[in-house]
Amino acid sequence: MIELTAKQVVVDGTPRIVMAGEVHYFRVARDEWEQRLDLVVEAGLTAVASYIPWVFHELPDGSIDVEGRTRPERDVAAFIDLCAARGLMFIARPGPFVMAELKNEGIPFRVYREHPEVVPVGWDGVQAPSRTVDYLAPAFLAETRRWFEAVLPLIAQRLQPNGGNVVMLQLDNEVGMLAWVTNSPDLTDHLLDHLGRWVTAKYDGPGPYPVAPGGDGWAQAVRSPEEAWAGPLRRDLGEFMRDRFADYVLALREMAEDLGIRGVPFAINIHGTEGGSGTPFPIGISQLVRTYSGIPGMVSGSDHYMGEATLTTMSDLYVINAFMDAVHDADQPLTSLEFEAGSGDYGAGAEMQYDPSTADLKTRLCLAQGNRVVNYYLFAGGINPPLDEVVDDGNDRLSFTGERHGTAAPVGPEGQRGFAYEATARTVHAVKANESWLAVMDEEHDDVELGLVLDAYATEYHHPGSALMTDAVDDLSQHRGAGQRRALARSLLLAGYRFGAVHLEERSPRPGSVLVLGAGRYLAEVVQQRVVAHAEAGGRVLLLGPVPQLDLDGTPCHVLADALDLGHGDVVRDTGHYYPSVVAHGWAAPWPEMRVGWRQELRPNRGDVVLTDVYGTVCGVDVPLGDGRVVVLAAELPSSRDLFGRALAALGATPGVSTATPFPGVITTTTASADGQRALHVINISGATMPTTVTLDGAEMHDGQPLLVPPRSGYVLPLGLDVAGIRLIGGTGEVAGVEDGAIRFRPLLRVGDGPGHVDVTPGMAVQADDAYEVTPFADGTVRVTPHEAHADAELVLRLDTTSPHFDPAADEPELHIEASAHA
C-alpha cells in the first residue's frame, strides 16, 4: 500500500526515500536488461523508472505491441517483472507524451497524419513549430485512450497494492512545455471555443474584448491581438490554460482509473529549467498547479537540468523546492521525477564534464528540504532502435539524437560504468544509511518566507508584436522569485536563513513573519493588498525591485506605494558611459559602495533612508506601516550576506543555524521529525576545504571551533538520532551504515586542529579500544574522540549484549567502540 501523508511517502506502513534510476528498456537489447538492472542494484537504488513510449509500441499499421510479439524489447511486463525479481520498485511513465528526445515527443506519426485538427496554430495563425497537440481535442483523447487500453492493464496487474512493484504512475510529461519554449500557444478552433466560454463566464460577457467570445472575429482577436486588449488577453490566456491543463490531466486520470490504476499516486512532471538556469522553473508550477495542488492521490515532481553544483545552481534548486512545497497541501511530499545525473556530456563530444560530486551535493540539498523521491535521469544510456517506418529524416531512428543515447549517464549506452557511476553509487548508499530518519524529517524554517507570485510566472505566451505584452513579460521575468541576480535567495542561504515560501495569490504570510519578495513594476492587486495587510498586522516585508505600479493587465495599481506614502521616479540604468553605484546608510551600513545595473529614485514621506546612489538620490527605504515595517530596495543589488543579513536582522529575523566561513560556499540547514530526532546538514559547494564555525539556536557548536568541511562534500550530522538502540546526541560523523546492531560512521569531520567526535546518549557503560578516547560529561553524555593516528578512519559503535550475564530487563548494554574494518 502506498500512502502520501504528512509529506511522507509511506510504503506498507514504513516511510521511505525512494531512490530511483531511469532505465529505458526500449533502448537496451532484451538480453542486456539484466546487466543494466544489476548495475542499478549495485548502486543501491531501490527503484527503476522508465518512459513507456507510444511511438515505440505502435506499429505502422496502427496496431500496438506491448507483449513483445514483434520484437522482444516491446515486452513491457517482462521488464517490470525483472525489476521486481531484483526487489526494485517501478515508476511507470506511459505518456502519452514522453519527450525523452524521441521523435514527435513520443506520439506516433500516424496520429498527426490522421488527425490534422489536433495540430495547433499559434500567434497570427502560424502552425506550431513543435510537435505539440491540442490536448483536449476529441480525436487526441480518443487515440490516447486506445494507447492506455493497451498498456495500462499490464501495469494495473503489477501495482504494489496488488502484490506487484509499480508504486507510481506519471500522467503525461511536461504538460504545456512545448508551447512555452516556442511562445506559440495552442490556439486551435477547438481551444478558442473553450476560451470563449471561459471568458464569457468570467466577465459575464465579452469583457475587455472587441467581439463576443466565440463569435465572428473572435479567433482573429485572440491570435492577432491589438494593444487595447493585449494586456487582459495575456493574463486571461495564462489562467485559462491552467484550467485546461487541469481538465486534461483529470481526463487522463479517469482513463487510468477506469483501466485499474488505483492505490498508487499519480505524478505530474514539472518542467521549467532552461539553459542551465532554474529561475524559470516556476513557469511549470504556474501552468500545472491546478492539475495536482491539493488533489488527493496526486504528487508533483521536479524536472531540472542545471549543470554543475555551484552557488547559482544550489540557490535555484533551493527555491525550486520551496516554491513546489508552497502549493502542496499538508500531505503532498516533494519529489523529483527527473533529477539530472551523470557527467553532462550529452552530445558525446567531450564538451562538458561535471564534477562527479554534482549529483551528491544536489541530492543532499533536496533531501534536506524534504524530497522523498529522487529519480536520476538518465541513469543508464542505450541505443535508439530504427523506426518501423522510413520517414527519411536523416537517421530514421526512434530518437533525433542518433544511434547512441545517454552518453552522459552513470551507465553508458553499451552498459559500461560511466564517469559518474561510482560517485552516484556512493551518494545512494549514503542516503540508504540515513533513510529511516530522512524519510520522516522536515526542514526547520526561520521566521522568514519567500514570496511566490505564480502570476508573475504566467509569461509563457506573449505576442511578439505587442509592446504591452513584451513589457510585462520582461519586467516579470527580471524581478520575480529569488530576485534579480538571485540576490534574495542566495544571500539568505549564505546568511544561514532556512526559509520556505508562501503562495501569495492564495494565502497570507505567517503572522509576524518576514516576507521576502522579489517583484517588479507589475504586481497583481491582490498580492499588493496581502503585502499591505501583512505589514499593517505587524508583519515585516523586504521588497527587492522597483516600486509596483501596474496590475498584471497593465492597468495602474498603486496599492502598496499608496500605503507606504512612497513616491518614485524613473529607473536609471547603466550604459557604456554611466555606472550607477549605491552606498548604504543607517542599519545597512557599513557596506562598500557597489555598482548596480539600475536604481530607481524613491521619494519617501516617512521612514528611514538605507540606500542612496553616490549623489544622494534615495533608492532604499525602511518605512513603518501599521504595526509592521516594509523595506524597499529599488536597485539591482548583488548577492550579499552582509547587506541582506542586516536587512533581515533589522526586521527582527534571526537565523536558527548560521555559519562563519572565510569565503562563500557552505550551505547549512536542519531537519527534525515529530518524534524528536534532529540533524544538521552541511554542504560545501566550493573546491576548497572550508573552515566552518556553526552557530545553532544561538550557541556556537564544538566549543566555537570550526568544522573543516572537505571540498565538494556534504554531511548529515546527528543532533539527536535513534540508531540501532543508541542515541546519537551530536558530533561530526555521518552514519555510513547500520549492520548487525553496529553503527558505522564515515571518517569524522575534523574540528579545528584536532579530530572530530561523536556524542552518545547518557547512562551507558563504554568500552573503547586504544584508538579512541572516551570523555564522560556531568549529564552522563559520552564523547568518543579518535586519537590523531585514527582521525581519518571510519568509526564503529556497537552495543554489546552478548555477555552471558547480560539481563535485558535489568542491565544497560555496554557500548563498544572500535575501528572499522572498512577503514
Side-chain angles (χ1 to χ4, degrees), residues 554-633:
T555 58
C557 182
H558 303 99
V559 171
L560 180 57
D562 290 347
L564 297 175
D565 197 15
L566 181 62
H568 51 84
D570 293 335
V571 169
V572 175
R573 301 186 182 276
D574 63 351
T575 67
H577 304 285
Y578 190 80
Y579 319 105
S581 299
V582 298
V583 293
H585 305 271
W587 53 250
W591 190 61
E593 176 187 314
M594 191 68 63
R595 180 185 168 185
V596 296
W598 60 267
R599 62 96 181 131
Q600 181 184 34
E601 179 186 3
L602 302 180
R603 301 168 187 152
N605 291 300
R606 66 177 191 272
D608 299 322
V609 172
V610 296
L611 205 66
T612 68
D613 73 2
V614 295
Y615 305 115
T617 300
V618 177
C619 54
V621 293
D622 182 347
V623 181
L625 179 58
D627 293 329
R629 293 160 61 192
V630 178
V631 171
V632 180
L633 301 177

Side-chain angles (χ1 to χ4, degrees), residues 681-739:
H681 301 255
V682 181
I683 301 173
N684 180 9
I685 309 162
S686 77
T689 296
M690 193 73 75
T692 304
T693 303
V694 181
T695 300
L696 178 64
D697 302 331
E700 285 190 334
M701 299 183 70
H702 314 115
D703 301 319
Q705 295 297 304
L707 295 173
L708 300 185
V709 188
R712 307 288 297 177
S713 69
Y715 289 79
V716 179
L717 302 180
L719 296 173
L721 298 178
D722 297 318
V723 189
I726 302 173
R727 180 75 171 178
L728 303 179
I729 301 297
T732 68
E734 176 179 282
V735 174
V738 180
E739 302 98 8

Side-chain angles (χ1 to χ4, degrees), residues 113-326:
R113 289 196 301 265
E114 294 184 5
H115 307 289
E117 74 276 14
V118 310
V119 179
V121 296
W123 298 123
D124 300 320
V126 176
Q127 184 170 317
S130 69
R131 296 298 274 173
T132 186
V133 301
D134 179 352
Y135 293 111
L136 286 179
F140 183 69
L141 289 179
E143 291 284 7
T144 296
R145 183 171 187 94
R146 180 172 168 273
W147 162 237
F148 275 12
E149 287 172 345
V151 71
L152 292 191
L154 297 173
I155 296 172
Q157 295 169 18
R158 291 163 174 80
L159 295 177
Q160 195 273 349
N162 297 337
N165 61 325
V166 178
V167 295
M168 184 180 291
L169 185 121
Q170 182 179 307
L171 296 172
D172 207 274
N173 187 61
E174 300 181 58
V175 175
M177 182 269 291
L178 295 172
W180 161 51
V181 297
T182 61
N183 184 29
S184 180
D186 302 336
L187 302 180
T188 63
D189 291 341
H190 179 261
L191 183 143
L192 290 177
D193 286 343
H194 187 185
L195 175 62
R197 295 192 298 273
W198 185 93
V199 165
T200 300
K202 175 179 179 178
Y203 294 104
D204 193 23
Y209 300 100
V211 296
D216 291 343
W218 172 243
Q220 176 70 15
V222 174
R223 289 171 179 156
S224 302
E226 297 181 13
E227 289 295 82
W229 61 89
L233 176 63
R234 191 194 66 81
R235 179 198 60 201
D236 287 344
L237 190 58
E239 187 175 350
F240 162 74
M241 290 304 296
R242 289 177 187 162
D243 285 343
R244 191 165 175 86
F245 293 146
D247 291 345
Y248 171 58
V249 169
L250 178 60
L252 296 182
R253 178 172 179 169
E254 289 176 344
M255 288 183 202
E257 290 177 335
D258 287 347
L259 294 166
I261 308 296
R262 296 177 179 273
V264 300
F266 291 100
I268 297 297
N269 194 26
I270 301 177
H271 57 271
T273 57
E274 181 182 39
S277 171
T279 55
F281 179 87
I283 290 175
I285 302 178
S286 170
Q287 289 180 290
L288 302 179
V289 61
R290 292 176 186 165
T291 68
Y292 65 86
S293 177
I295 301 176
M298 299 294 296
V299 65
S300 70
S302 60
D303 179 334
H304 51 76
Y305 297 87
M306 296 179 291
E308 192 88 57
T310 64
L311 282 175
T312 295
T313 303
M314 300 294 265
S315 298
D316 286 354
L317 192 54
Y318 194 91
V319 171
I320 283 172
N321 289 325
F323 280 175
M324 286 180 63
D325 189 56

Side-chain angles (χ1 to χ4, degrees), residues 543-554:
L543 176 69
L544 178 64
V547 176
Q549 306 167 41
L550 303 164
D551 206 338
L552 293 174
D553 60 4

Side-chain angles (χ1 to χ4, degrees), residues 417-676:
R417 296 166 192 264
F419 175 71
Y421 180 83
E422 298 298 335
T424 305
R426 284 195 298 270
T427 300
V428 176
H429 286 289
V431 173
K432 289 180 70 174
N434 292 270
E435 179 183 5
S436 62
W437 42 91
L438 289 177
V440 296
M441 284 181 165
D442 296 312
E443 185 181 27
E444 297 180 300
H445 288 154
D446 297 312
D447 205 16
V448 175
E449 293 181 287
L450 183 63
L452 168 61
V453 182
L454 272 188
D455 286 338
Y457 289 93
T459 55
E460 63 269 35
Y461 318 121
H462 56 284
H463 192 286
S466 168
L468 193 156
M469 283 185 169
T470 301
D471 180 62
V473 168
D474 287 349
D475 177 73
L476 293 168
S477 300
Q478 289 173 26
H479 300 289
R480 62 197 177 190
Q484 203 164 24
R485 299 175 67 178
R486 301 171 176 84
L488 289 174
R490 187 187 291 128
S491 300
L492 265 60
L493 283 176
L494 292 177
Y497 285 96
R498 306 160 297 176
F499 57 89
V502 55
H503 179 11
L504 287 173
E505 285 100 344
E506 296 294 329
R507 58 184 63 93
S508 299
R510 294 192 308 270
S513 67
V514 177
L515 170 66
V516 179
L517 180 62
R521 293 178 297 115
Y522 290 78
L523 186 63
E525 182 176 8
V526 65
V527 176
Q528 294 193 41
Q529 290 170 342
R530 277 211 166 91
V531 172
V532 170
H534 177 63
E536 289 178 337
R540 282 87 21 94
V541 180
L542 172 60
L543 176 69
L544 178 64
V547 176
Q549 306 167 41
L550 303 164
D551 206 338
L552 293 174
D553 60 4
T555 58
C557 182
H558 303 99
V559 171
L560 180 57
D562 290 347
L564 297 175
D565 197 15
L566 181 62
H568 51 84
D570 293 335
V571 169
V572 175
R573 301 186 182 276
D574 63 351
T575 67
H577 304 285
Y578 190 80
Y579 319 105
S581 299
V582 298
V583 293
H585 305 271
W587 53 250
W591 190 61
E593 176 187 314
M594 191 68 63
R595 180 185 168 185
V596 296
W598 60 267
R599 62 96 181 131
Q600 181 184 34
E601 179 186 3
L602 302 180
R603 301 168 187 152
N605 291 300
R606 66 177 191 272
D608 299 322
V609 172
V610 296
L611 205 66
T612 68
D613 73 2
V614 295
Y615 305 115
T617 300
V618 177
C619 54
V621 293
D622 182 347
V623 181
L625 179 58
D627 293 329
R629 293 160 61 192
V630 178
V631 171
V632 180
L633 301 177
E636 186 192 42
L637 298 170
S639 300
S640 169
R641 63 178 293 166
D642 292 334
L643 177 64
F644 288 97
R646 289 196 187 104
L648 268 290
L651 292 172
T654 303
V657 55
S658 60
T659 59
T661 58
F663 305 103
V666 174
I667 295 174
T668 54
T669 190
T670 57
T671 54
S673 63
D675 63 1

Side-chain angles (χ1 to χ4, degrees), residues 757-783:
H757 61 267
V758 173
D759 295 341
V760 185
T761 185
M764 185 177 293
V766 177
Q767 289 187 358
D769 64 21
D770 294 339
Y772 299 93
E773 179 180 345
V774 177
T775 306
F777 292 95
D779 64 355
T781 299
V782 173
R783 172 162 294 179

Side-chain angles (χ1 to χ4, degrees), residues 13-46:
T14 301
R16 298 294 306 273
I17 300 290
V18 179
M19 298 297 292
E22 185 91 6
V23 180
H24 291 160
Y25 66 92
F26 53 91
R27 284 176 162 134
V28 178
R30 172 74 175 265
D31 60 7
E32 297 179 16
W33 283 357
E34 293 190 66
Q35 185 264 351
R36 301 300 196 278
L37 295 180
D38 288 343
L39 288 173
V40 169
V41 172
E42 183 181 330
L45 295 166
T46 53

